[in-house]
Amino acid sequence: MTALTRPGGTLAVQDVDWVTRVCDPPHRLGPAGRRRRGAVAAQRHGRTARPQAARLLRDAGLLDVRVDVFARAFQPDHPYQTLLADRAELCRDALVDQDLITAGELDDCIGRVRAHVLAPDTVVVHPLLFQAWGRRPPQDPTA
């Protein structure tokens, strides 16, 4: 990515750490939901910036590297309140095709999660959003 940044320019990355997503009151996903969560994590294959983003940018030779982390809580009227169920729907084909969960189990899990997070007393804390940025040296020898 540094090659795409002009000498002296800024490179920024961001990533979400899905492990940090929580809701209160907690929801029991059941066996099918836990398999789905594990399957989505496995599909990432470690491709993430998360907390190590700043180190990765420094290792790439960037200067003045900075990092910031954000967390937000959502109420039932916010579109991100249902993000977990929405992501499960987006991954539907891969999850079912790989026999990680049946279509019926997934439908049941999505329905239960959606109903839970839309309950008026449920608060969803969105996963931590990690951002990091740094400046490519003005006289970059790799340019």
Coordinates of all heavy atoms in Angstrom, one line a residue, residues 49-121:
A49 N -6.1 -5.2 10.3 CA -5.2 -4.2 10.7 C -5.3 -4.0 12.2 O -4.3 -3.9 12.9 CB -5.5 -2.8 10.0
R50 N -6.5 -3.9 12.8 CA -6.8 -3.8 14.2 C -5.7 -3.2 15.0 O -5.1 -2.2 14.6 CB -7.3 -5.1 14.7 CG -8.6 -5.5 14.1 CD -9.3 -6.5 14.9 NE -9.0 -7.9 14.7 CZ -9.6 -8.7 13.9 NH1 -10.5 -8.3 13.1 NH2 -9.3 -10.0 13.8
P51 N -5.4 -3.7 16.2 CA -4.4 -3.1 17.1 C -3.0 -3.0 16.5 O -2.2 -2.1 16.8 CB -4.4 -3.9 18.3 CG -5.6 -4.7 18.3 CD -6.0 -4.8 16.9
Q52 N -2.6 -3.9 15.6 CA -1.3 -3.9 15.1 C -1.1 -3.0 13.9 O 0.0 -2.9 13.3 CB -0.8 -5.4 14.7 CG -1.7 -6.0 13.6 CD -2.8 -6.8 14.2 OE1 -3.5 -6.4 15.1 NE2 -3.1 -8.0 13.6
A53 N -2.1 -2.2 13.5 CA -2.0 -1.3 12.4 C -0.9 -0.4 12.5 O -0.1 -0.2 11.5 CB -3.4 -0.6 12.2
A54 N -0.7 0.3 13.6 CA 0.4 1.2 13.8 C 1.7 0.6 13.6 O 2.6 1.1 12.9 CB 0.3 1.9 15.1
R55 N 1.9 -0.6 14.1 CA 3.2 -1.3 14.0 C 3.4 -1.7 12.5 O 4.5 -1.5 12.0 CB 3.2 -2.6 14.8 CG 4.5 -3.4 14.6 CD 4.5 -4.6 15.6 NE 3.2 -5.3 15.8 CZ 2.7 -6.2 15.0 NH1 3.4 -6.6 13.9 NH2 1.6 -6.8 15.3
L56 N 2.4 -2.1 11.8 CA 2.5 -2.5 10.4 C 2.9 -1.3 9.6 O 3.8 -1.4 8.7 CB 1.2 -3.1 9.9 CG 0.8 -4.4 10.5 CD1 -0.6 -4.8 10.0 CD2 1.8 -5.5 10.1
L57 N 2.4 -0.1 9.9 CA 2.7 1.1 9.1 C 4.2 1.5 9.4 O 4.9 1.9 8.5 CB 1.8 2.3 9.5 CG 0.3 2.1 9.0 CD1 -0.5 3.3 9.4 CD2 0.2 1.8 7.5
R58 N 4.6 1.4 10.7 CA 6.0 1.7 11.1 C 6.9 0.8 10.4 O 8.0 1.2 9.8 CB 6.2 1.7 12.6 CG 5.7 3.0 13.3 CD 6.2 3.0 14.7 NE 5.6 1.9 15.5 CZ 4.4 2.0 16.1 NH1 3.7 3.1 16.0 NH2 3.9 1.0 16.8
D59 N 6.6 -0.5 10.4 CA 7.4 -1.5 9.7 C 7.5 -1.3 8.2 O 8.5 -1.7 7.6 CB 6.9 -3.0 10.0 CG 7.0 -3.4 11.4 OD1 7.7 -2.7 12.2 OD2 6.4 -4.5 11.8
A60 N 6.5 -0.7 7.7 CA 6.6 -0.3 6.2 C 7.3 0.9 5.9 O 7.5 1.3 4.8 CB 5.1 -0.2 5.7
G61 N 7.9 1.6 7.0 CA 8.7 2.7 6.8 C 8.0 4.1 6.9 O 8.6 5.1 6.6
L62 N 6.8 4.1 7.3 CA 6.1 5.3 7.4 C 6.5 6.1 8.6 O 6.9 5.5 9.6 CB 4.6 5.1 7.4 CG 4.0 4.5 6.2 CD1 2.5 4.3 6.3 CD2 4.3 5.3 4.9
L63 N 6.4 7.4 8.6 CA 6.8 8.3 9.7 C 5.6 8.9 10.4 O 4.5 8.9 9.8 CB 7.7 9.4 9.1 CG 8.9 9.0 8.3 CD1 9.5 10.3 7.6 CD2 9.9 8.3 9.1
D64 N 5.8 9.4 11.6 CA 4.7 10.1 12.3 C 3.5 9.3 12.4 O 2.3 9.8 12.2 CB 4.4 11.5 11.7 CG 5.6 12.4 11.5 OD1 6.5 12.3 12.5 OD2 5.7 13.0 10.5
V65 N 3.6 8.0 12.7 CA 2.5 7.1 12.7 C 1.6 7.4 14.0 O 2.2 7.5 15.1 CB 3.0 5.6 12.7 CG1 1.8 4.6 12.9 CG2 3.7 5.3 11.4
R66 N 0.3 7.4 13.8 CA -0.6 7.7 14.8 C -1.7 6.6 14.8 O -1.9 6.0 13.8 CB -1.3 9.0 14.7 CG -0.3 10.2 14.4 CD 0.4 10.5 15.6 NE -0.5 11.4 16.4 CZ -0.1 12.2 17.3 NH1 1.1 12.2 17.8 NH2 -0.9 13.0 18.0
V67 N -2.4 6.4 15.9 CA -3.5 5.5 16.0 C -4.6 6.0 16.8 O -4.4 6.8 17.7 CB -3.0 4.1 16.5 CG1 -2.6 4.2 18.0 CG2 -4.0 3.0 16.4
D68 N -5.8 5.7 16.5 CA -7.0 6.1 17.2 C -8.0 4.9 17.3 O -8.0 4.1 16.3 CB -7.6 7.3 16.7 CG -8.3 8.2 17.7 OD1 -8.5 7.7 18.8 OD2 -8.6 9.3 17.4
V69 N -8.8 4.8 18.3 CA -9.7 3.7 18.4 C -11.1 4.4 18.9 O -11.1 5.2 19.7 CB -9.3 2.7 19.5 CG1 -10.3 1.6 19.6 CG2 -7.9 2.2 19.2
F70 N -12.1 3.9 18.2 CA -13.5 4.4 18.5 C -14.4 3.3 18.9 O -14.3 2.2 18.3 CB -14.0 5.1 17.3 CG -13.2 6.3 16.8 CD1 -12.2 6.1 15.8 CD2 -13.4 7.5 17.3 CE1 -11.5 7.1 15.4 CE2 -12.6 8.6 16.9 CZ -11.7 8.4 15.9
A71 N -15.3 3.6 19.8 CA -16.4 2.7 20.1 C -17.7 3.5 20.1 O -17.7 4.6 20.6 CB -16.2 2.0 21.4
R72 N -18.8 2.9 19.7 CA -20.1 3.6 19.7 C -21.2 2.6 20.2 O -21.1 1.4 19.9 CB -20.5 4.0 18.3 CG -19.6 5.1 17.8 CD -20.2 6.0 16.8 NE -21.6 6.4 17.1 CZ -22.4 6.8 16.1 NH1 -22.1 6.8 14.9 NH2 -23.6 7.2 16.4
A73 N -22.1 3.1 20.9 CA -23.3 2.3 21.3 C -24.5 2.7 20.4 O -24.7 3.9 20.2 CB -23.6 2.5 22.8
F74 N -25.3 1.7 20.0 CA -26.4 2.0 19.1 C -27.7 1.6 19.8 O -27.7 0.6 20.6 CB -26.2 1.2 17.8 CG -25.0 1.6 17.1 CD1 -23.9 0.8 16.9 CD2 -24.9 2.9 16.5 CE1 -22.8 1.2 16.2 CE2 -23.8 3.3 15.8 CZ -22.7 2.5 15.7
Q75 N -28.7 2.3 19.5 CA -30.1 2.1 20.0 C -30.9 1.4 18.9 O -30.5 1.4 17.7 CB -30.7 3.4 20.4 CG -29.9 4.2 21.4 CD -29.5 3.5 22.6 OE1 -30.3 2.8 23.3 NE2 -28.2 3.6 23.0
P76 N -32.1 0.8 19.2 CA -32.8 0.1 18.2 C -33.2 0.9 16.9 O -33.5 0.3 15.9 CB -34.1 -0.3 19.0 CG -33.6 -0.4 20.4 CD -32.6 0.7 20.6
D77 N -33.2 2.2 17.0 CA -33.6 2.9 15.7 C -32.4 3.2 14.8 O -32.5 3.8 13.8 CB -34.2 4.3 16.1 CG -33.3 5.2 16.9 OD1 -32.3 4.7 17.5 OD2 -33.7 6.4 17.0
H78 N -31.2 2.7 15.2 CA -30.0 3.0 14.4 C -29.8 1.8 13.4 O -29.9 0.6 13.8 CB -28.8 3.2 15.3 CG -27.6 3.7 14.5 ND1 -26.8 3.0 13.7 CD2 -27.1 5.0 14.5 CE1 -25.9 3.7 13.2 NE2 -26.0 4.9 13.6
P79 N -29.4 2.0 12.2 CA -29.2 0.9 11.2 C -28.1 -0.1 11.6 O -28.2 -1.3 11.3 CB -28.8 1.6 9.9 CG -28.9 3.0 10.1 CD -29.2 3.3 11.5
Y80 N -27.1 0.3 12.4 CA -26.1 -0.6 12.8 C -26.5 -1.5 13.9 O -25.8 -2.4 14.3 CB -24.8 0.2 13.2 CG -23.9 0.6 12.1 CD1 -24.3 0.4 10.8 CD2 -22.7 1.2 12.4 CE1 -23.5 0.8 9.7 CE2 -21.9 1.6 11.3 CZ -22.3 1.4 10.0 OH -21.4 1.8 9.0
Q81 N -27.7 -1.3 14.5 CA -28.2 -2.1 15.5 C -28.3 -3.6 15.0 O -28.1 -4.5 15.8 CB -29.5 -1.6 16.0 CG -30.1 -2.3 17.2 CD -29.4 -1.9 18.5 OE1 -28.5 -1.2 18.6 NE2 -30.0 -2.4 19.6
T82 N -28.6 -3.8 13.8 CA -28.8 -5.1 13.2 C -27.6 -5.6 12.4 O -27.8 -6.5 11.6 CB -30.1 -5.1 12.3 OG1 -29.9 -4.2 11.3 CG2 -31.3 -4.8 13.1
L83 N -26.5 -4.9 12.5 CA -25.3 -5.2 11.7 C -24.9 -6.7 11.7 O -24.6 -7.3 10.7 CB -24.2 -4.3 12.0 CG -23.0 -4.3 11.1 CD1 -23.5 -3.8 9.7 CD2 -21.9 -3.3 11.6
L84 N -25.0 -7.3 12.9 CA -24.6 -8.7 13.0 C -25.5 -9.6 12.2 O -25.0 -10.5 11.4 CB -24.6 -9.2 14.5 CG -24.1 -10.6 14.7 CD1 -22.7 -10.8 14.3 CD2 -24.3 -10.9 16.2
A85 N -26.8 -9.4 12.3 CA -27.7 -10.2 11.5 C -27.5 -9.9 10.0 O -27.6 -10.8 9.2 CB -29.1 -9.9 11.9
D86 N -27.3 -8.6 9.6 CA -27.1 -8.3 8.3 C -25.8 -8.9 7.7 O -25.8 -9.4 6.6 CB -26.9 -6.7 8.1 CG -28.2 -6.0 8.5 OD1 -29.3 -6.6 8.6 OD2 -28.1 -4.8 8.8
R87 N -24.8 -9.0 8.5 CA -23.5 -9.6 8.0 C -23.7 -11.1 7.8 O -23.2 -11.7 6.9 CB -22.4 -9.4 9.0 CG -21.8 -8.0 8.9 CD -20.6 -7.8 9.8 NE -19.6 -8.8 9.7 CZ -18.6 -8.6 8.8 NH1 -18.5 -7.6 8.0 NH2 -17.6 -9.6 8.7
A88 N -24.5 -11.7 8.7 CA -24.8 -13.2 8.6 C -25.5 -13.4 7.3 O -25.2 -14.4 6.6 CB -25.6 -13.7 9.8
E89 N -26.4 -12.5 6.9 CA -27.2 -12.7 5.6 C -26.2 -12.5 4.4 O -26.4 -13.2 3.5 CB -28.3 -11.7 5.6 CG -29.5 -12.1 6.5 CD -30.6 -11.1 6.6 OE1 -30.4 -9.9 6.1 OE2 -31.6 -11.4 7.1
L90 N -25.3 -11.6 4.6 CA -24.3 -11.4 3.5 C -23.4 -12.7 3.3 O -23.0 -12.9 2.2 CB -23.4 -10.2 3.7 CG -24.1 -8.8 3.6 CD1 -23.2 -7.7 4.1 CD2 -24.5 -8.6 2.1
C91 N -23.1 -13.4 4.4 CA -22.3 -14.5 4.3 C -23.1 -15.8 4.1 O -22.5 -16.9 4.1 CB -21.5 -14.7 5.6 SG -20.4 -13.3 5.9
R92 N -24.4 -15.7 3.9 CA -25.2 -16.9 3.8 C -24.7 -18.0 2.9 O -24.6 -19.1 3.3 CB -26.6 -16.5 3.4 CG -27.6 -17.6 3.1 CD -28.9 -17.2 2.6 NE -29.7 -16.5 3.6 CZ -30.2 -17.1 4.6 NH1 -30.2 -18.4 4.7 NH2 -30.9 -16.4 5.5
D93 N -24.5 -17.7 1.7 CA -24.1 -18.7 0.7 C -22.8 -19.4 1.1 O -22.7 -20.6 1.1 CB -23.9 -18.1 -0.7 CG -25.2 -17.6 -1.3 OD1 -26.3 -18.1 -0.8 OD2 -25.1 -16.8 -2.3
A94 N -21.8 -18.6 1.6 CA -20.5 -19.3 2.0 C -20.7 -20.2 3.2 O -20.2 -21.3 3.2 CB -19.5 -18.2 2.3
L95 N -21.5 -19.7 4.1 CA -21.7 -20.5 5.4 C -22.5 -21.8 5.1 O -22.1 -22.9 5.5 CB -22.5 -19.7 6.4 CG -21.8 -18.5 6.9 CD1 -22.7 -17.6 7.7 CD2 -20.6 -18.9 7.8
V96 N -23.5 -21.7 4.2 CA -24.3 -22.9 3.9 C -23.5 -23.8 3.0 O -23.5 -25.0 3.1 CB -25.7 -22.5 3.3 CG1 -26.4 -23.7 2.8 CG2 -26.5 -21.7 4.4
D97 N -22.9 -23.2 1.9 CA -22.1 -24.1 1.0 C -21.0 -24.8 1.6 O -20.6 -25.9 1.1 CB -21.6 -23.2 -0.2 CG -22.7 -22.6 -1.1 OD1 -23.8 -23.0 -0.9 OD2 -22.3 -21.7 -1.9
Q98 N -20.4 -24.3 2.7 CA -19.3 -25.0 3.3 C -19.8 -25.9 4.4 O -19.0 -26.4 5.2 CB -18.3 -23.9 3.9 CG -17.6 -23.1 2.9 CD -16.8 -22.0 3.5 OE1 -16.2 -22.2 4.6 NE2 -16.7 -20.9 2.8
D99 N -21.1 -26.1 4.5 CA -21.7 -26.9 5.5 C -21.4 -26.5 6.9 O -21.3 -27.4 7.8 CB -21.4 -28.4 5.3 CG -21.9 -29.0 4.0 OD1 -23.1 -28.6 3.6 OD2 -21.3 -29.8 3.3
L100 N -21.2 -25.2 7.2 CA -20.9 -24.8 8.5 C -22.2 -24.6 9.3 O -22.2 -24.6 10.5 CB -20.2 -23.4 8.4 CG -18.8 -23.5 7.8 CD1 -18.2 -22.2 7.5 CD2 -17.9 -24.3 8.7
I101 N -23.3 -24.5 8.6 CA -24.6 -24.3 9.2 C -25.7 -24.6 8.1 O -25.4 -24.3 6.9 CB -24.8 -22.8 9.7 CG1 -26.0 -22.7 10.6 CG2 -24.8 -21.8 8.6 CD1 -26.0 -21.4 11.4
T102 N -26.8 -25.1 8.5 CA -27.9 -25.3 7.5 C -28.6 -24.0 7.2 O -28.6 -23.1 8.1 CB -28.9 -26.4 8.0 OG1 -29.6 -25.8 9.1 CG2 -28.2 -27.7 8.3
A103 N -29.3 -23.9 6.1 CA -30.0 -22.7 5.8 C -31.1 -22.5 6.9 O -31.3 -21.3 7.3 CB -30.7 -22.8 4.4
G104 N -31.8 -23.5 7.3 CA -32.8 -23.4 8.4 C -32.2 -22.9 9.7 O -32.8 -22.0 10.4
E105 N -31.0 -23.4 10.1 CA -30.4 -23.0 11.3 C -30.0 -21.5 11.2 O -30.2 -20.7 12.2 CB -29.1 -23.8 11.6 CG -29.4 -25.2 12.1 CD -28.1 -26.0 12.2 OE1 -27.2 -25.8 11.4 OE2 -28.0 -26.8 13.1
L106 N -29.5 -21.1 10.1 CA -29.0 -19.8 9.9 C -30.2 -18.8 9.9 O -30.2 -17.8 10.6 CB -28.3 -19.6 8.5 CG -27.7 -18.2 8.3 CD1 -26.7 -17.8 9.4 CD2 -26.9 -18.2 6.9
D107 N -31.3 -19.2 9.2 CA -32.5 -18.3 9.3 C -33.0 -18.2 10.7 O -33.4 -17.1 11.1 CB -33.6 -19.0 8.4 CG -33.4 -18.9 6.9 OD1 -32.5 -18.0 6.5 OD2 -33.9 -19.7 6.2
D108 N -33.0 -19.3 11.5 CA -33.4 -19.2 12.9 C -32.5 -18.3 13.7 O -33.0 -17.4 14.5 CB -33.5 -20.6 13.5 CG -33.9 -20.6 14.9 OD1 -35.0 -20.2 15.2 OD2 -33.0 -21.0 15.8
C109 N -31.2 -18.5 13.5 CA -30.3 -17.7 14.3 C -30.4 -16.2 13.9 O -30.5 -15.3 14.8 CB -28.9 -18.2 13.9 SG -27.5 -17.3 14.8
I110 N -30.5 -15.9 12.6 CA -30.6 -14.5 12.2 C -31.9 -13.9 12.8 O -31.9 -12.7 13.3 CB -30.6 -14.4 10.7 CG1 -29.2 -14.7 10.1 CG2 -31.1 -13.0 10.2 CD1 -29.1 -14.8 8.6
G111 N -33.0 -14.6 12.7 CA -34.3 -14.1 13.2 C -34.2 -13.8 14.7 O -34.7 -12.8 15.2
R112 N -33.6 -14.8 15.5 CA -33.5 -14.6 16.9 C -32.6 -13.4 17.3 O -32.9 -12.6 18.2 CB -33.0 -15.8 17.6 CG -34.1 -16.9 17.6 CD -33.7 -18.2 18.4 NE -32.6 -18.8 17.9 CZ -31.4 -19.0 18.5 NH1 -31.2 -18.6 19.7 NH2 -30.4 -19.6 17.9
V113 N -31.5 -13.3 16.6 CA -30.5 -12.1 16.8 C -31.2 -10.8 16.5 O -31.2 -9.9 17.2 CB -29.2 -12.3 16.1 CG1 -28.4 -11.0 16.1 CG2 -28.4 -13.5 16.7
R114 N -31.8 -10.8 15.3 CA -32.5 -9.5 14.9 C -33.6 -9.1 15.9 O -33.7 -7.9 16.3 CB -33.1 -9.7 13.5 CG -33.6 -8.4 12.9 CD -34.0 -8.6 11.4 NE -33.0 -9.1 10.6 CZ -32.0 -8.3 10.0 NH1 -32.0 -7.0 10.3 NH2 -31.1 -8.9 9.2
A115 N -34.4 -10.1 16.4 CA -35.4 -9.7 17.3 C -34.8 -9.3 18.7 O -35.3 -8.3 19.3 CB -36.3 -11.0 17.6
H116 N -33.7 -9.9 19.1 CA -33.1 -9.5 20.3 C -32.5 -8.1 20.2 O -32.8 -7.3 21.1 CB -32.0 -10.5 20.7 CG -31.2 -10.1 21.9 ND1 -31.7 -10.3 23.2 CD2 -30.0 -9.6 22.1 CE1 -30.9 -9.9 24.1 NE2 -29.8 -9.5 23.4
V117 N -31.8 -7.8 19.2 CA -31.1 -6.5 19.1 C -32.1 -5.3 18.9 O -31.8 -4.2 19.2 CB -30.0 -6.4 18.1 CG1 -28.9 -7.4 18.5 CG2 -30.4 -6.6 16.7
L118 N -33.3 -5.7 18.3 CA -34.3 -4.6 18.1 C -35.2 -4.4 19.3 O -36.1 -3.5 19.3 CB -35.1 -5.0 16.9 CG -34.4 -4.8 15.5 CD1 -35.2 -5.3 14.4 CD2 -33.9 -3.4 15.3
A119 N -35.0 -5.2 20.3 CA -35.8 -5.0 21.6 C -35.5 -3.6 22.1 O -34.3 -3.2 22.1 CB -35.6 -6.1 22.6
P120 N -36.5 -2.9 22.6 CA -36.2 -1.5 23.1 C -35.2 -1.4 24.2 O -34.5 -0.4 24.4 CB -37.6 -1.1 23.6 CG -38.6 -2.1 23.2 CD -37.9 -3.3 22.7
D121 N -35.0 -2.5 25.0 CA -34.1 -2.4 26.1 C -32.7 -2.9 25.8 O -31.8 -3.0 26.6 CB -34.6 -3.2 27.3 CG -34.8 -4.7 27.0 OD1 -34.9 -5.1 25.9 OD2 -34.8 -5.5 28.0

